[in-house]
Amino acid sequence: MKKMERLTRIEHAGVVAVVREDSQKRAIEAARAVIKGGIKGIEVTFSVPQADQVIAQLKEEYQNDSSVVIGAGTVLDAVTARLAILAGAEFIVSPCFDQATAEMCNFYQVPYMPGCMTITEMQQAMKSGADIVKLFPANNFTPQMIKAAKAPLPHVNIMPTGGVNLENIAAWKQAGAIVVGVGGNLFKGVKDENYELVSQTAKQYIEVWREN
């Protein structure tokens, strides 16, 4: 039940902000800014220094807001997945599929979203309990890839990540994306500590997602 509840919240969020900053402080401020702008899905990547501490702090800050869902990204192995889960991560995202990580997430009833590029990879991930697969890097494909994947795998839920922007997010949703991962220009204000710009950009993304 816990896993299904988390999946529902991820789907309801629609847009997951991929936080890749070079310090704990910037990562936390960036996450706060996108949440303020209306994006309630947060993926803290393990390229962020002490990412587990960032996850723990954000979980504590937003513990009373059930619409906010905090997860971990760039999780390459089961050890990192467990570290993230114990810190409070409510979903785990990987750039590639890893069987041991899938089993760890299933054990803790935490959704696992591995990066896949082929039908074979998607099938393997689904057989191992992945409820959502990350089409990554999505900029290698067009939104029609979702339709193509759903022909042989009609039950696959796809989250395109990498290259998703304000110009193509509507096309990805219309093609059948259950959720999208967004980084890059969403955080263009962070370098200058212009977090209001981050919030405004987040608002644009969520508005486009909800309108389509």
Side-chain angles (χ1 to χ4, degrees):
M1 291 297 290
K2 182 181 289 187
K3 186 178 181 183
M4 291 307 300
E5 181 263 339
R6 288 169 171 170
L7 285 165
T8 299
R9 288 165 61 212
I10 293 166
E11 183 178 2
H12 188 261
V15 179
V16 171
V18 182
V19 179
R20 292 184 183 279
E21 303 305 330
D22 58 6
S23 72
Q24 290 185 63
K25 180 180 182 294
R26 284 191 172 192
I28 291 167
E29 293 290 350
R32 288 170 178 161
V34 293
I35 292 170
K36 179 182 176 183
I39 292 179
K40 300 304 179 74
I42 303 295
E43 174 190 329
V44 179
T45 70
F46 263 76
S47 57
V48 174
Q50 289 82 47
D52 58 319
Q53 295 176 25
V54 175
I55 291 167
Q57 181 167 336
L58 291 172
K59 277 284 293 176
E60 183 177 356
E61 285 188 24
Y62 295 97
Q63 60 183 317
N64 295 322
D65 186 347
S66 62
S67 66
V68 174
V69 56
I70 310 289
T74 320
V75 176
L76 301 176
D77 52 51
V79 173
T80 307
R82 185 173 185 271
L83 177 65
I85 292 166
L86 294 180
E90 297 175 278
F91 61 92
I92 299 294
V93 185
S94 299
C96 54
F97 174 75
D98 179 69
Q99 181 65 39
T101 302
E103 291 173 5
M104 181 66 70
C105 292
N106 285 337
F107 179 77
Y108 282 102
Q109 286 294 289
V110 171
Y112 176 48
M113 297 141 77
C116 300
M117 290 182 70
T118 68
I119 300 301
T120 299
E121 290 174 346
M122 291 180 188
Q123 181 197 37
Q124 182 184 10
M126 292 170 70
K127 285 169 64 178
S128 298
D131 297 280
I132 299 174
V133 298
K134 179 174 80 164
L135 181 64
F136 178 78
N139 52 5
N140 281 4
F141 303 93
T142 68
Q144 290 304 308
M145 175 59 181
I146 295 180
K147 183 178 180 181
K150 282 182 172 287
L153 299 174
H155 304 303
V156 68
N157 295 311
I158 295 177
M159 177 179 75
T161 304
V164 177
N165 54 48
L166 284 170
E167 286 66 48
N168 62 26
I169 186 174
W172 281 111
K173 185 177 184 182
Q174 291 162 5
I178 189 171
V179 60
V180 294
V182 178
N185 67 353
L186 173 59
F187 295 104
K188 59 189 175 184
V190 173
K191 184 175 67 173
D192 301 318
E193 297 190 355
N194 185 353
Y195 293 106
E196 188 56 40
L197 176 59
V198 177
S199 296
Q200 292 170 4
T201 307
K203 184 179 180 182
Q204 288 179 287
Y205 271 97
I206 206 68
E207 284 177 349
V208 175
W209 178 262
R210 289 173 178 166
E211 287 169 0
N212 289 276

